[in-house]
Amino acid sequence: MSGFFKSSIGRKYAMALSAFFLMFFLLQHFAINILSVFSPDAFNETSHFMGTFWAVQYVLQPILIFGVIYHFVMGFILEIKNRGARVKKYAKNNGAANSSWMSRNMIYSGLAILAFLVLHFIDFWIPEINTKFIEGDMSGLLADGEGFRYYEELTHKFVSPLRVGAYVIAFIFLSLHLMHGFSSAFQSAGATSMRKEKLQLFGKVYAIIIPLGFIFIALFHHFNH
């Protein structure tokens, strides 16, 4: 088994598994964040549950961090190795004519998403870790004790037009990344050609709706602050 994951096919398969996990997390993350548009109370309560439930904090969160790091590191390794092979292939067969711009430039959209993740961690994850595990405050309450703090913190981050602009650009890159990455992950996992068209359609819908939803959330809170 270890030999399989050291092979090119094995690495792609492991890459696909990490992609599935991250796409599922992205969907779950969106489902929680969209609550902030319709019900601040529901968003606060759900965020507090996710932020204090032991299985999420001590099991799923470490797995998520590992998945993010693995996906980006392995993605860059595969891209660097594939670029050398593609140069010869394009020179002989004009491969660029048979592949999309996004499939040839996944590394650039990946770098843009990675830069966004650093910003997102600085905005939300690091302050959350500091509050809960360094200051030892697991209550989730505002400083005055009047209600949960999650909605207040979320809307505060979307006051700055520069930060909102960065989020919008990042989610556009995420959409482009998913356009190719979604179908590519299923292909690496062994999806049959008969399902390819349906998966491509579903992938395009996912790649547009989820990033667009996040953009909507950021703009909604920015203009309604």
Side-chain angles (χ1 to χ4, degrees):
M1 182 63 72
S2 60
F4 172 74
F5 285 106
K6 289 181 181 179
S7 66
S8 176
I9 296 176
R11 290 194 187 100
K12 289 181 179 180
Y13 188 81
M15 186 73 173
L17 292 179
S18 67
F20 293 144
F21 175 74
L22 294 177
M23 286 187 288
F24 175 78
F25 166 76
L26 194 64
L27 182 62
Q28 173 261 327
H29 196 46
F30 170 73
I32 294 174
N33 283 8
I34 195 65
L35 291 175
S36 66
V37 172
F38 301 104
S39 175
D41 289 338
F43 173 76
N44 274 328
E45 291 171 7
T46 305
S47 297
H48 183 65
F49 171 78
M50 297 295 289
T52 56
F53 184 46
W54 67 269
V56 174
Q57 292 300 299
Y58 301 112
V59 180
L60 294 180
Q61 186 167 250
I63 293 174
L64 173 63
I65 294 172
F66 173 78
V68 169
I69 295 174
Y70 178 87
H71 189 77
F72 279 98
V73 171
M74 185 56 64
F76 292 139
I77 291 174
L78 289 174
E79 181 66 19
I80 291 171
K81 288 186 176 182
N82 290 339
R83 276 179 176 269
R86 284 202 299 262
V87 169
K88 295 179 181 179
K89 181 179 178 182
Y90 291 166
K92 292 181 179 180
N93 303 319
N94 190 24
N98 300 314
S99 60
S100 66
W101 179 90
M102 197 62 252
S103 67
R104 301 192 306 273
N105 294 279
M106 289 288 281
I107 192 169
Y108 298 119
S109 61
L111 286 170
I113 296 168
L114 184 59
F116 161 73
L117 283 176
V118 172
L119 172 63
H120 194 61
F121 273 35
I122 292 172
D123 275 351
F124 294 100
W125 189 74
I126 293 177
E128 190 71 10
I129 294 297
N130 179 68
T131 299
K132 291 188 296 189
F133 298 109
I134 297 179
E135 297 179 2
D137 181 8
M138 300 291 288
S139 68
L141 298 175
L142 292 164
D144 58 9
E146 296 294 328
F148 288 125
R149 57 181 167 80
Y150 307 102
Y151 181 80
E152 182 80 15
E153 291 175 347
L154 176 72
T155 55
H156 175 72
K157 294 300 182 182
F158 293 128
V159 173
S160 169
L162 292 178
R163 181 178 275 103
V164 172
Y167 271 70
V168 170
I169 292 172
F171 281 115
I172 291 174
F173 274 105
L174 176 62
S175 179
L176 294 173
H177 195 81
L178 289 170
M179 281 286 187
H180 173 71
F182 192 99
S183 58
S184 178
F186 276 99
Q187 184 175 348
S188 297
T192 62
S193 58
M194 292 179 62
R195 298 179 180 176
K196 188 175 180 180
E197 292 185 4
K198 292 182 179 179
L199 289 173
Q200 286 179 337
L201 177 60
F202 183 72
K204 287 180 181 179
V205 172
Y206 181 97
I208 293 173
I209 296 299
I210 299 302
L212 190 62
F214 278 108
I215 290 174
F216 169 74
I217 293 169
L219 293 176
F220 176 86
H221 290 304
H222 175 69
F223 289 111
N224 286 277
H225 187 267

